Amino acid sequence: MSNPMASAEVSIENVGGRDLRIARWRLDEPSDHPPVLFFNGIGANIEAVAPLAEAMDDRAFIMFDMPGTGGSPDPVIPYTVVTMAWTATQVLDKFGLEEVDVMGISWGGGLAQHFAIQHPGRTRRLVLIATSAGMLMVPGNPAALTKMANPRRYVDPDFMAKHFETLYGGALGNSEGKGGHMSRLTPPSPRGYMYQLLAMIGWTSAPVLPFMRKETLILMGDDDQIVPLANGKFLNSLIPNSELIVMEGGGHLFLLSHKDQCVSAIKDFLNAPDEAELSAAA
């Protein structure tokens, strides 16, 4: 199996007063498509989503470890979605990127929504994966949520193996499996994990989403124990220009278990002509 990080440029950069570990794929290669800015799930490091970055091989891709996660140093003070969305614009400025397609999974899907709302001029299209509107979310399986809040899932392979199905639901393909996903994870620091949890307390995008005009693709799994499908339907009902695609048999990690299907759906959505192009062609 190839190493999806082999083609990435990775460095620690001081951005907006924070030291962040940032990974970039294909920034210097010509492309007909805008780069992708990706926001990861809670406690997850860059490597966890590197297979997707590698698969999106016709465009640039950039993401960073949140403070206290992966290779980013611990945060000194707590942060909010507002400050972290602003920090993401500083990351884009650092590498000369103006407009991007924004993607986020789970916790990062909330930050992706906020980025699109707070910085519409930097956002072309939005892809939301296994995520919710925040505080107004339909809660998942209590057994999964209690284990989700326990950082042992990152540091204790036996704990993960025992509770993998409860946590993530759905079947992972043979090419991935528990070992494949676990081998790419680096445990967050306790402070980093706690600050990431705190950043979303009280936050919801629901009141603003009806006024957001960005074309949005929502991907959900119908066996997600952490963010149930109802949350995707709720987002779809709130966002005017949105499309919902459901991965049958997909748990919270359907981005891995249904990788080819997800990549195909994302590329089709991002590559589709916008309304201006359609009007010009008419």
Side-chain angles (χ1 to χ4, degrees), residues 118-197:
Q118 186 175 333
H119 302 287
R122 310 296 292 266
T123 306
R124 190 183 74 110
R125 291 182 179 173
L126 183 62
V127 179
L128 304 176
I129 304 165
T131 194
S132 74
M135 184 176 64
L136 297 182
M137 77 174 287
V138 176
N141 180 343
L145 294 178
T146 55
K147 295 173 180 63
M148 181 81 177
N150 190 337
R152 278 185 65 197
R153 66 194 176 100
Y154 290 105
V155 299
D156 186 344
D158 292 334
F159 180 88
M160 173 61 88
K162 180 179 178 182
H163 300 295
F164 193 88
E165 189 66 25
T166 302
L167 269 168
Y168 296 117
L172 278 178
N174 293 331
S175 63
E176 273 293 337
K178 305 169 188 178
H181 178 62
M182 281 295 293
S183 68
R184 290 193 297 270
L185 294 181
T186 301
S189 72
R191 185 192 300 175
Y193 195 77
M194 179 60 66
Y195 282 10
Q196 225 176 330
L197 284 171

Side-chain angles (χ1 to χ4, degrees), residues 34-155:
V36 168
L37 170 65
F38 192 92
F39 295 111
N40 220 334
I42 189 165
N45 51 297
I46 289 167
E47 284 80 359
V49 183
L52 174 66
E54 186 180 53
M56 300 291 291
D57 55 5
D58 56 348
R59 69 202 71 212
F61 197 105
I62 185 167
M63 62 177 157
F64 56 90
D65 283 333
M66 295 296 292
T69 298
S72 291
D74 263 359
V76 177
I77 58 174
Y79 53 84
T80 66
V81 289
V82 175
T83 56
M84 197 48 65
W86 174 82
T87 299
T89 67
Q90 305 307 295
V91 171
L92 298 182
D93 290 347
K94 184 90 175 180
F95 296 98
L97 305 177
E98 183 59 35
E99 186 181 58
V100 292
D101 287 322
V102 181
M103 297 173 58
I105 184 170
S106 195
W107 184 96
L111 185 52
Q113 291 171 62
H114 194 91
F115 183 93
I117 293 164
Q118 186 175 333
H119 302 287
R122 310 296 292 266
T123 306
R124 190 183 74 110
R125 291 182 179 173
L126 183 62
V127 179
L128 304 176
I129 304 165
T131 194
S132 74
M135 184 176 64
L136 297 182
M137 77 174 287
V138 176
N141 180 343
L145 294 178
T146 55
K147 295 173 180 63
M148 181 81 177
N150 190 337
R152 278 185 65 197
R153 66 194 176 100
Y154 290 105
V155 299

